[in-house]
Every structure is written in structure tokens, then in C-alpha cells.
Amino acid sequence: MDLRGKMEEKYRNIIIDYLRDQSEQTLYQGQKFSRELIEKKISPEEIVSLHKGLLLDLYPNVPESVIHSFDVLLEVMVGYGLAYREHQSLRNKQMEFRTEMEIAANVQQTLLGTSIPVVEGLDIGAISVPARHMNGDYFHFVLDDHQCVNVAIADVIGKGIPAALCMSMIKYAMDSLPENRHAPHMVLESLNRVVEQNVDPSMFITMFYGMYNPSNHIFYYSSAGHEPGFYYDAQTGGFSEMEAKGLLLGIDKKTKYQQYEREVHPGDMIILMSDGVTECRTEEGFLERDALISNIRKYIHLDAQTIVNNIYKDLERLQDFQLRDDFTLIILKRNV
Amino acid sequence: MDLRGKMEEKYRNIIIDYLRDQSEQTLYQGQKFSRELIEKKISPEEIVSLHKGLLLDLYPNVPESVIHSFDVLLEVMVGYGLAYREHQSLRNKQMEFRTEMEIAANVQQTLLGTSIPVVEGLDIGAISVPARHMNGDYFHFVLDDHQCVNVAIADVIGKGIPAALCMSMIKYAMDSLPENRHAPHMVLESLNRVVEQNVDPSMFITMFYGMYNPSNHIFYYSSAGHEPGFYYDAQTGGFSEMEAKGLLLGIDKKTKYQQYEREVHPGDMIILMSDGVTECRTEEGFLERDALISNIRKYIHLDAQTIVNNIYKDLERLQDFQLRDDFTLIILKRNV
Amino acid sequence: MGIQSCVKILNEWDIVAARQLGRNVAKELGFGTVDQARITTAISELARNIYLYAGQGQICIEKIYEGSKAGLKVIAVDSGPGISDIRQVMEDGYSTSGGLGAGLPGVKRLMDQFDIISSLEKGTDIRAVKWLR
Amino acid sequence: MGIQSCVKILNEWDIVAARQLGRNVAKELGFGTVDQARITTAISELARNIYLYAGQGQICIEKIYEGSKAGLKVIAVDSGPGISDIRQVMEDGYSTSGGLGAGLPGVKRLMDQFDIISSLEKGTDIRAVKWLR
Ligand SMILES: [Mn+2]
Ligand SMILES: [Mn+2]
Ligand SMILES: [Mn+2]
Ligand SMILES: [Mn+2]
């Protein structure tokens, strides 16, 4: 028996069962049958036609008008059938697209790849999740010859593939920086010149660049219009903003950046992020920076990587699992 | 009256009309109604429920079994209703994706942008169309200080966004080439080193690089594993292959490239392409290179840009408007 | 080649005439009601495109035979503005009518074969075939 | 808070029992047949997930009231392996069942409100509400 014949018989049996007992059990069979029909790509207009044929067969004296009325229902269902078959095709496109994006994201990963350095006395956690498929946020660690931990966090204005294309450029630029990475303000100044020269004038990049020197426990940093980080003082238990002024990269090639510093005591934390963390929009409006702080407090006893992972998980759910912006959060915690 | 009430009345009228006259006119109303329902995002299970209600209303003594049978049809339609509503959402995603791709393609355009040089005595036509959204083919013209026309045509192995990410790299590399572009084999050698060093080891690039010197009418060229071009000899009316040997870019950093040359007489043409032109697959198998030649002959009296446009249009239709690979075709024609 | 019957498309009523013609031929060939509904929907869509975008044109219906197979061919011709980007028009999900899923990809789906030629300012010629199973 | 009635999900027959419970409560609240079919489909889907992926769990049905609104709440709880990437599971077109369009996004669509909490190796708790219109 061919597929259509089999389906016809199945439907016939379900209908006959249901006419006998009207049970939930039979309706459940109907639902499973629906799943099967859809898997086998049978269009809804065919079901309507099947139903009409069955009625005619089971009740030869059913009024003619009832049978005629099915012609109209059939006509209407053809439109849904088309939508349904377009749906199949869009699903396939969606799959192809997802595969392509996975490859592209891997290429991006290879291009932008960084690894979190292992340094005695410093516990580092970092997470970066794209809102769509490719990341327009970027973070980068370099452990230099003096055992200083350099950390960069950047955000292209914009999301998705266009932003990702830009971000790969930044990576090439960072790789070709001269070896004296020691001064954050100088790093930003030279990156600014590259961006100004090479990137589409409508694209801007915010960046925070910091360097932690484990021999004097000082964190040096500069910011190019980037979302300010937080500083956690273990002794007072208080959080303060790491304010830093500076123009975005790519606006004016002569921009100078100011450099700031903080002494880091045992238990203190430096928390860096992109605006996707603080501007995560929930049903009740934007998440306040204060709310983020109480979120951090909740997990403060854990290690840095677990803290950032947990915070991401909480915020993801708050946003109903749909990120509005790329999300990057980094925590540096000086161990006792 | 609310939307649902209005739809109910419309459907009722269509059914009543149809039961009276069974005319095509009424079925056409049914089809238009289907369009309207779908635009208003009404699920198919609601139509089934509506139909059942109408029958009960119009024929109070319709057999109970007929009415019961609609419970099963309804249960089955809920599955289609879900597919249908997922369809709405996928369409929206598709739209978003298309918008994102348009922006990304623009960014790529800005990054890779080239303009066809205007040179006396030389008629140039070029077309490059991505198979999906972003182009993994690339062509580039430079008119140097000696009025020589430099032309590059390249193809990343692979398509779509991953290929596009790679291609932007090649563009940066070409821009930072030393100024002595004169020798095609040297250009390929230095690009090869860049690709070998920077690009994912699984990505390879084929490239043809040529230079036309209008003062001695010689075309110098080298190829890195790229699809061979054609040479059209106006005097004999014959086409010959522009064979050139050379490894793909990115395999071995020590690769040397051989340089070839051709004297170009009035009316002669140089035809360069990516494999997307010759490997365009039709229902009857691959397009033969011979078929391409007869296609070129068909348009040979036209200007270079019209020739490449027409050939693209023909091949697009042959492939049922679905390109399997990025398509790039360049024609250089020496005027009389 | 079989005999063609044609309907000129000038206004919306002609869409119904084209559907009626298509349905009659489909019935004669022995198509079932589901396929009849699909063929007439495809004809509606093609006729509607002529009426909306080309102003006028015609729909012809032809019985065709290939070996032992019989089929119905719909030919929609107009001398309207033509289609500038056929690839885009044939892409799923592009049609602006919110979620209708018809348009030319819909016609292609409803039928078994589909071919289109269009030149800017010259017009469009679409041929679609449904085979009797 | 209203009274909860629960069905343990251990095998496929329990899916029918959960549907029956949901349908009874939906009828009592005055939901029409279309909404009844949607609610039972959502319950089926949640129960089936428990049966297939968690092994066991339960489905509870609760009448809820908010101001003058009445609604039906479905609670599906299991202590199975949990969901590692909720974003992916909630994404349309991800479910592997060819084109079914159900899965958790389907449940979300069939109901008016939807919330999920899941921890790896601890289990999953899903709550979904349908309001009477
Ligand atoms: Mn961004
Ligand atoms: Mn951002
Ligand atoms: Mn390629
Ligand atoms: Mn290719």
C-alpha cells in the first residue's frame, strides 16, 4: 500500500474509533497522526479532502450540502497548504543558514581566539556570548614577558555579521601592534589610528584596555568610550565605578587617552563588561547597574569563572532567552 | 464586530453562496478569503471549528457523527496550526537575516570595493554575483602610474560568510603590497606568504593576476591554481585556453609562480572567470566550457559589460535561478 | 501539441474566467478535487499578477501528452514591465503579502514544472505544468 | 491560588491521563473546543518530553484567577538531566522532528504565558498559562 493509502486507512480508523467512544485516547491518536502527517509532508488540504471522502463513505446519505461545503473548506486550505510548504523550505534554509553560521563562527573563533592566562594569585573568569550568531564583542588576554596580564574588551557599535567583519579587522590591528604593550593609553591611541583609517566611517568601536602588574598589584587602564567597569573593595565590601574618559575608536585620529590606575588588594575584584550586560532589557525595563551588583554579590563566594557563568545564566532567563545585544563579562579577582 | 466575528460572517456568506450556486466565482472568493485569513494570522484549526459551527447552524439535523468527526479534524489541524505559526516566525527571522546580510554585504562592498578603470583603447566588463548573500569571489582593478591595467580575480574555496571573512583578509594584504605591482608572479608570491601565515589552514584561495600594458599591448599573467581564462583571437575567430600553472595560495609559503604573456591585437579579448561560471550545474549536468564559448560568441558584437551581463542572465536561468557557486566573469577587449 | 484555449486578463472578473477554464480542462483530464484546487489557485495567482503588475495579458490552458503521461499546461504571458530580479522574486519568504506563501514560488510549488522568461520593458512569459498521477 | 490536580508521568498512557485532566479543567473553566485542543496539545507535548527525556515526572493542572480573569496553568516538573542550552531549545526551527513545529516553542505558542527553569542534572520546571478570553 502506498503512503497515501496507509495514511487514509489510519485516519479512517481513528475517525471510526472516535465516533464509537469519543475518548481522549483516540484524540491523542489524532494528535500523533497529525505529527506523522507533517513529518511525511502531507498538506492540510489533502486531509480535508480525505475527511470529505470518509464522510461520504461512512454515511452515504449525508446531505449533499454538507459535502459541497467541503469544496470551500478545501479551497481555503490550499492557501494554508502553501504557507505550510513554504514553511518546510524556510526550515531547510534556516538549517543551512545555521550550518553556515556555525562555520563562520568557527572561523571567527580561530581569527579572534584568546586563552585566559593562568597567573598565580589572580583568578580570571570571562564569558562572551553573541546575541545572534557572530560576536560583535571581543575580548583578548595577553600575558607579556613581564608576567603582566593585558586585557582588552571591545564592542563594535552594531551586531551580527557586519560587526563581526569589523571586529576581525581590530584583531589584525592588535596583532600587528608594536611589542611595548605596557601602556594602555598608548595601545588605544595606536588602535584608534588604525580604525580611523580602515573601517567604514559609520562604524565605531568602544574599547577598554587594562594591564595588571602582579609585582606591584597595580591595575592600569584606559577606556575609549567603553561601558565603565566595577571595582570591588573586599575590605569595605563596596562596589565603585571605574570611571575613565575617552572618545570611541575611529572618530578622530588624533585622540589622546588618559590612563588610570588602581591598587588591587587581596580579595578585590575588577569587573569589566560590554553594554550588553547592563542594557539587557527585561519585561520590566532595563536592568539597573545596581541590580547587576546585587547579582554579583549573590555569587561572590564562588570562583571567577563560575560567577560570570551564573550571572549570564540569570540574565539570559530574565530576557526570556533572547539576548538583545552581545554579552561579555570579565572578572579578575586577586587571591589572598 | 471584532475580527473573528467579521471573518465568521464572511465565511458564512461564502458557504451559503456556494451551496446555492457552486460557482467558480464563489470558490475564487474562497481563495481570496484564504489569503485574508493568513494575512490576519488566523490558524487553520479555527477555520475547521468555524466550519463545524456553520454546519450545525445551517443544518440543525445534520447527523451527530458528522459533527463529532470534526473533533478529530480539529485535533489534526492543531499540528498544522503550529507549523503555520512557526512559519510566521521563520519568515520574520528570514527578513531580519536578509536585512543583516544586506548590511554585511554593504560592509563587504566597502571593504572590497573596486572600480573598473577607464582606459583608451580597452573595453572592460566585469560582473561578480554571490551564490548566497556574501561573496567568496573577489576581483580587483588597479590602474598604475604607468597606465598599466592590473586585474586580480580570486576565489576562496568555500562560499558564504566564512569565505567572505577570508576574502577581507586578502584585501588587506593586497592593499599593503609594495608599490611595484608590475610583475604578476611577484604579486602572487607575496600574497601567498600572507595567506599561508594568517589564514586558517583549511582555507585555500585561487587567484589569477594579470597586467595589461597599453604601450606594448602585452598582457602578462600568472595563476595560483585558478580556473584558466580564454583568449579570443579576432583574426581567426578562435578561442584558446590561457593555461597557466601554479599552486593555490596558502599551501606552501615558498611557492614560486611562473609568468606568461600574450600579445593583444585589435579586437582580441581576454576572458577571466571563477569556476562558478564553468561549473554552473544545470538539469542536464555541468555546463561545458565549450557551451560557454558559444554563449560568448552569441554576444561577441556587443560591448564588454553587456556581454558579461547577458551571459550571467542566461546562466542564471539555466540554473533555475539558484546559483551553486559565486559567479565572476571579466572581459577585457582591445578596441580597434 | 494540444489545443490551447486562452482568456484575456483585463480585469478581476477575467481571473474567474481563467480559473473556470483551467478547472474545466483539469476535470476533463481527470484531476481530483485537491489537484483541481491547486491548479486553479496557481492560475489565480498568475492571472492576478498580470492584472496587478502588467495591466493586461493572457492565460492559456493546454492539454499536453508525453509518452503515456497527460498533463495540463498553464501559459501566462504579458507585455508588462518585466521582472528585474527573478532570483529575488523566486526566493521563498520574499513576497510581501504577510505569510501568504503564494507569489511565484507558490505557483512553482502548486505545479510540477515551472519556467519563466522575463525582460525589462518587454514582458514576462511563464509556463507551468501539472502532470496527472 | 487554586487547587492543583496532578498526574504522574511514567509511561505513554499517562500522557492521555494528563490530557484528560487538562481537558476536564478546561471545560469546567469554559474554554471553547479550539482552545481545549490547544491546551491538550501543549500538555501532550510537555508530558511527552518528560516521558522521553526525563523518564518520569508529573503534570499538574491548576485553575488560576487574576482580577476578573480566569485561566488554566500547566506545571510540568521532572528531575531529569535538565536542558544544557535553553536558548537553543527555545529557538524556532531547531526541533529535529521534521517540520512539526512543536517542541517547547510550540508549547509557548499554544499557551499565553510560559516560564522555564532548568538545571543540569537537577531537572526542569515548566509553567504555562492559558487565559480565558
Ligand atoms: Mn556591538
Ligand atoms: Mn553592545
Ligand atoms: Mn568560492
Ligand atoms: Mn568557486
Side-chain angles (χ1 to χ4, degrees), chain A residues 116-137:
Chain A
I116 298 175
V118 182
V119 186
E120 231 197 271
L122 199 62
D123 176 19
I124 306 180
I127 187 171
S128 186
V129 184
R132 301 204 198 150
H133 4 269
M134 293 182 76
N135 211 333
D137 277 2

PDB file of all heavy atoms in Angstrom, chain A residues 116-137:
ATOM      1  N   ILE A 116      42.547  32.318  28.353  1.00  0.00           N
ATOM      2  CA  ILE A 116      42.647  33.009  29.634  1.00  0.00           C
ATOM      3  C   ILE A 116      43.957  32.608  30.292  1.00  0.00           C
ATOM      4  O   ILE A 116      44.203  31.421  30.507  1.00  0.00           O
ATOM      5  CB  ILE A 116      41.443  32.657  30.510  1.00  0.00           C
ATOM      6  CG1 ILE A 116      40.164  33.152  29.812  1.00  0.00           C
ATOM      7  CG2 ILE A 116      41.580  33.259  31.891  1.00  0.00           C
ATOM      8  CD1 ILE A 116      38.887  32.776  30.503  1.00  0.00           C
ATOM      9  N   PRO A 117      44.833  33.573  30.595  1.00  0.00           N
ATOM     10  CA  PRO A 117      46.141  33.218  31.129  1.00  0.00           C
ATOM     11  C   PRO A 117      46.041  32.690  32.560  1.00  0.00           C
ATOM     12  O   PRO A 117      45.150  33.070  33.311  1.00  0.00           O
ATOM     13  CB  PRO A 117      46.914  34.538  31.104  1.00  0.00           C
ATOM     14  CG  PRO A 117      45.905  35.611  31.011  1.00  0.00           C
ATOM     15  CD  PRO A 117      44.670  35.033  30.403  1.00  0.00           C
ATOM     16  N   VAL A 118      46.927  31.794  32.899  1.00  0.00           N
ATOM     17  CA  VAL A 118      46.976  31.260  34.259  1.00  0.00           C
ATOM     18  C   VAL A 118      48.110  31.975  34.995  1.00  0.00           C
ATOM     19  O   VAL A 118      49.274  31.858  34.612  1.00  0.00           O
ATOM     20  CB  VAL A 118      47.230  29.743  34.237  1.00  0.00           C
ATOM     21  CG1 VAL A 118      47.241  29.186  35.657  1.00  0.00           C
ATOM     22  CG2 VAL A 118      46.160  29.065  33.390  1.00  0.00           C
ATOM     23  N   VAL A 119      47.759  32.760  36.007  1.00  0.00           N
ATOM     24  CA  VAL A 119      48.748  33.555  36.732  1.00  0.00           C
ATOM     25  C   VAL A 119      48.540  33.285  38.214  1.00  0.00           C
ATOM     26  O   VAL A 119      47.410  33.271  38.694  1.00  0.00           O
ATOM     27  CB  VAL A 119      48.520  35.062  36.473  1.00  0.00           C
ATOM     28  CG1 VAL A 119      49.636  35.878  37.119  1.00  0.00           C
ATOM     29  CG2 VAL A 119      48.416  35.349  35.002  1.00  0.00           C
ATOM     30  N   GLU A 120      49.625  33.070  38.923  1.00  0.00           N
ATOM     31  CA  GLU A 120      49.477  32.827  40.354  1.00  0.00           C
ATOM     32  C   GLU A 120      48.931  34.066  41.039  1.00  0.00           C
ATOM     33  O   GLU A 120      49.350  35.189  40.736  1.00  0.00           O
ATOM     34  CB  GLU A 120      50.842  32.473  40.950  1.00  0.00           C
ATOM     35  CG  GLU A 120      50.771  31.194  41.772  1.00  0.00           C
ATOM     36  CD  GLU A 120      51.969  31.085  42.671  1.00  0.00           C
ATOM     37  OE1 GLU A 120      52.964  30.518  42.205  1.00  0.00           O
ATOM     38  OE2 GLU A 120      51.901  31.586  43.821  1.00  0.00           O
ATOM     39  N   GLY A 121      48.002  33.872  41.935  1.00  0.00           N
ATOM     40  CA  GLY A 121      47.484  34.995  42.701  1.00  0.00           C
ATOM     41  C   GLY A 121      46.342  35.722  42.022  1.00  0.00           C
ATOM     42  O   GLY A 121      45.770  36.651  42.575  1.00  0.00           O
ATOM     43  N   LEU A 122      45.985  35.315  40.788  1.00  0.00           N
ATOM     44  CA  LEU A 122      44.916  36.009  40.085  1.00  0.00           C
ATOM     45  C   LEU A 122      43.931  34.975  39.546  1.00  0.00           C
ATOM     46  O   LEU A 122      44.318  34.018  38.879  1.00  0.00           O
ATOM     47  CB  LEU A 122      45.500  36.834  38.930  1.00  0.00           C
ATOM     48  CG  LEU A 122      44.626  37.955  38.383  1.00  0.00           C
ATOM     49  CD1 LEU A 122      44.332  39.002  39.451  1.00  0.00           C
ATOM     50  CD2 LEU A 122      45.287  38.609  37.180  1.00  0.00           C
ATOM     51  N   ASP A 123      42.660  35.170  39.880  1.00  0.00           N
ATOM     52  CA  ASP A 123      41.609  34.257  39.414  1.00  0.00           C
ATOM     53  C   ASP A 123      40.822  35.003  38.346  1.00  0.00           C
ATOM     54  O   ASP A 123      40.242  36.060  38.592  1.00  0.00           O
ATOM     55  CB  ASP A 123      40.723  33.904  40.623  1.00  0.00           C
ATOM     56  CG  ASP A 123      39.544  33.037  40.231  1.00  0.00           C
ATOM     57  OD1 ASP A 123      39.588  32.406  39.148  1.00  0.00           O
ATOM     58  OD2 ASP A 123      38.565  32.996  41.016  1.00  0.00           O
ATOM     59  N   ILE A 124      40.820  34.454  37.114  1.00  0.00           N
ATOM     60  CA  ILE A 124      40.187  35.165  35.998  1.00  0.00           C
ATOM     61  C   ILE A 124      39.017  34.367  35.456  1.00  0.00           C
ATOM     62  O   ILE A 124      39.117  33.161  35.226  1.00  0.00           O
ATOM     63  CB  ILE A 124      41.193  35.396  34.842  1.00  0.00           C
ATOM     64  CG1 ILE A 124      42.453  36.099  35.377  1.00  0.00           C
ATOM     65  CG2 ILE A 124      40.557  36.210  33.727  1.00  0.00           C
ATOM     66  CD1 ILE A 124      43.496  36.358  34.311  1.00  0.00           C
ATOM     67  N   GLY A 125      37.898  35.044  35.216  1.00  0.00           N
ATOM     68  CA  GLY A 125      36.745  34.422  34.568  1.00  0.00           C
ATOM     69  C   GLY A 125      36.282  35.310  33.431  1.00  0.00           C
ATOM     70  O   GLY A 125      36.294  36.532  33.560  1.00  0.00           O
ATOM     71  N   ALA A 126      35.899  34.704  32.308  1.00  0.00           N
ATOM     72  CA  ALA A 126      35.445  35.510  31.161  1.00  0.00           C
ATOM     73  C   ALA A 126      34.399  34.742  30.384  1.00  0.00           C
ATOM     74  O   ALA A 126      34.498  33.535  30.193  1.00  0.00           O
ATOM     75  CB  ALA A 126      36.630  35.841  30.258  1.00  0.00           C
ATOM     76  N   ILE A 127      33.382  35.455  29.935  1.00  0.00           N
ATOM     77  CA  ILE A 127      32.365  34.848  29.078  1.00  0.00           C
ATOM     78  C   ILE A 127      31.944  35.879  28.035  1.00  0.00           C
ATOM     79  O   ILE A 127      31.863  37.072  28.330  1.00  0.00           O
ATOM     80  CB  ILE A 127      31.134  34.378  29.906  1.00  0.00           C
ATOM     81  CG1 ILE A 127      30.160  33.597  29.023  1.00  0.00           C
ATOM     82  CG2 ILE A 127      30.433  35.540  30.583  1.00  0.00           C
ATOM     83  CD1 ILE A 127      29.044  32.939  29.833  1.00  0.00           C
ATOM     84  N   SER A 128      31.752  35.408  26.794  1.00  0.00           N
ATOM     85  CA  SER A 128      31.300  36.304  25.734  1.00  0.00           C
ATOM     86  C   SER A 128      30.326  35.536  24.856  1.00  0.00           C
ATOM     87  O   SER A 128      30.679  34.506  24.300  1.00  0.00           O
ATOM     88  CB  SER A 128      32.496  36.796  24.902  1.00  0.00           C
ATOM     89  OG  SER A 128      32.069  37.769  23.978  1.00  0.00           O
ATOM     90  N   VAL A 129      29.088  36.006  24.799  1.00  0.00           N
ATOM     91  CA  VAL A 129      28.045  35.291  24.063  1.00  0.00           C
ATOM     92  C   VAL A 129      27.423  36.230  23.041  1.00  0.00           C
ATOM     93  O   VAL A 129      26.954  37.312  23.396  1.00  0.00           O
ATOM     94  CB  VAL A 129      26.941  34.796  25.028  1.00  0.00           C
ATOM     95  CG1 VAL A 129      25.909  33.975  24.284  1.00  0.00           C
ATOM     96  CG2 VAL A 129      27.540  34.007  26.168  1.00  0.00           C
ATOM     97  N   PRO A 130      27.414  35.836  21.759  1.00  0.00           N
ATOM     98  CA  PRO A 130      26.800  36.706  20.753  1.00  0.00           C
ATOM     99  C   PRO A 130      25.279  36.693  20.856  1.00  0.00           C
ATOM    100  O   PRO A 130      24.696  35.660  21.190  1.00  0.00           O
ATOM    101  CB  PRO A 130      27.244  36.086  19.425  1.00  0.00           C
ATOM    102  CG  PRO A 130      27.576  34.672  19.729  1.00  0.00           C
ATOM    103  CD  PRO A 130      28.000  34.622  21.168  1.00  0.00           C
ATOM    104  N   ALA A 131      24.659  37.823  20.583  1.00  0.00           N
ATOM    105  CA  ALA A 131      23.196  37.899  20.606  1.00  0.00           C
ATOM    106  C   ALA A 131      22.624  37.078  19.459  1.00  0.00           C
ATOM    107  O   ALA A 131      21.610  36.425  19.612  1.00  0.00           O
ATOM    108  CB  ALA A 131      22.730  39.343  20.472  1.00  0.00           C
ATOM    109  N   ARG A 132      23.291  37.152  18.302  1.00  0.00           N
ATOM    110  CA  ARG A 132      22.776  36.358  17.189  1.00  0.00           C
ATOM    111  C   ARG A 132      23.691  35.170  16.957  1.00  0.00           C
ATOM    112  O   ARG A 132      23.696  34.253  17.741  1.00  0.00           O
ATOM    113  CB  ARG A 132      22.676  37.222  15.944  1.00  0.00           C
ATOM    114  CG  ARG A 132      21.740  38.408  16.227  1.00  0.00           C
ATOM    115  CD  ARG A 132      21.140  38.945  14.977  1.00  0.00           C
ATOM    116  NE  ARG A 132      20.631  40.283  15.239  1.00  0.00           N
ATOM    117  CZ  ARG A 132      20.553  41.239  14.340  1.00  0.00           C
ATOM    118  NH1 ARG A 132      20.939  41.008  13.111  1.00  0.00           N
ATOM    119  NH2 ARG A 132      20.077  42.418  14.652  1.00  0.00           N
ATOM    120  N   HIS A 133      24.498  35.234  15.939  1.00  0.00           N
ATOM    121  CA  HIS A 133      25.322  34.061  15.634  1.00  0.00           C
ATOM    122  C   HIS A 133      26.776  34.428  15.769  1.00  0.00           C
ATOM    123  O   HIS A 133      27.576  33.672  16.249  1.00  0.00           O
ATOM    124  CB  HIS A 133      25.013  33.571  14.240  1.00  0.00           C
ATOM    125  CG  HIS A 133      24.045  34.479  13.553  1.00  0.00           C
ATOM    126  ND1 HIS A 133      22.703  34.284  13.619  1.00  0.00           N
ATOM    127  CD2 HIS A 133      24.230  35.637  12.877  1.00  0.00           C
ATOM    128  CE1 HIS A 133      22.100  35.285  12.994  1.00  0.00           C
ATOM    129  NE2 HIS A 133      22.992  36.100  12.541  1.00  0.00           N
ATOM    130  N   MET A 134      27.120  35.647  15.318  1.00  0.00           N
ATOM    131  CA  MET A 134      28.517  36.030  15.370  1.00  0.00           C
ATOM    132  C   MET A 134      28.658  37.176  16.346  1.00  0.00           C
ATOM    133  O   MET A 134      27.745  37.957  16.561  1.00  0.00           O
ATOM    134  CB  MET A 134      29.001  36.411  13.983  1.00  0.00           C
ATOM    135  CG  MET A 134      29.005  35.182  13.093  1.00  0.00           C
ATOM    136  SD  MET A 134      29.612  35.550  11.462  1.00  0.00           S
ATOM    137  CE  MET A 134      31.348  35.652  11.771  1.00  0.00           C
ATOM    138  N   ASN A 135      29.849  37.266  16.910  1.00  0.00           N
ATOM    139  CA  ASN A 135      30.051  38.183  18.013  1.00  0.00           C
ATOM    140  C   ASN A 135      30.615  39.521  17.547  1.00  0.00           C
ATOM    141  O   ASN A 135      31.590  39.563  16.813  1.00  0.00           O
ATOM    142  CB  ASN A 135      31.020  37.519  18.999  1.00  0.00           C
ATOM    143  CG  ASN A 135      30.753  37.936  20.416  1.00  0.00           C
ATOM    144  OD1 ASN A 135      30.226  39.024  20.643  1.00  0.00           O
ATOM    145  ND2 ASN A 135      31.097  37.091  21.364  1.00  0.00           N
ATOM    146  N   GLY A 136      29.971  40.602  17.956  1.00  0.00           N
ATOM    147  CA  GLY A 136      30.484  41.946  17.708  1.00  0.00           C
ATOM    148  C   GLY A 136      31.166  42.489  18.951  1.00  0.00           C
ATOM    149  O   GLY A 136      31.618  43.620  18.983  1.00  0.00           O
ATOM    150  N   ASP A 137      31.206  41.661  20.003  1.00  0.00           N
ATOM    151  CA  ASP A 137      32.019  41.969  21.177  1.00  0.00           C
ATOM    152  C   ASP A 137      33.323  41.190  21.014  1.00  0.00           C
ATOM    153  O   ASP A 137      33.391  40.225  20.253  1.00  0.00           O
ATOM    154  CB  ASP A 137      31.355  41.466  22.465  1.00  0.00           C
ATOM    155  CG  ASP A 137      30.319  42.423  23.019  1.00  0.00           C
ATOM    156  OD1 ASP A 137      30.074  43.475  22.389  1.00  0.00           O
ATOM    157  OD2 ASP A 137      29.748  42.107  24.081  1.00  0.00           O
TER     158      ASP A 137
END
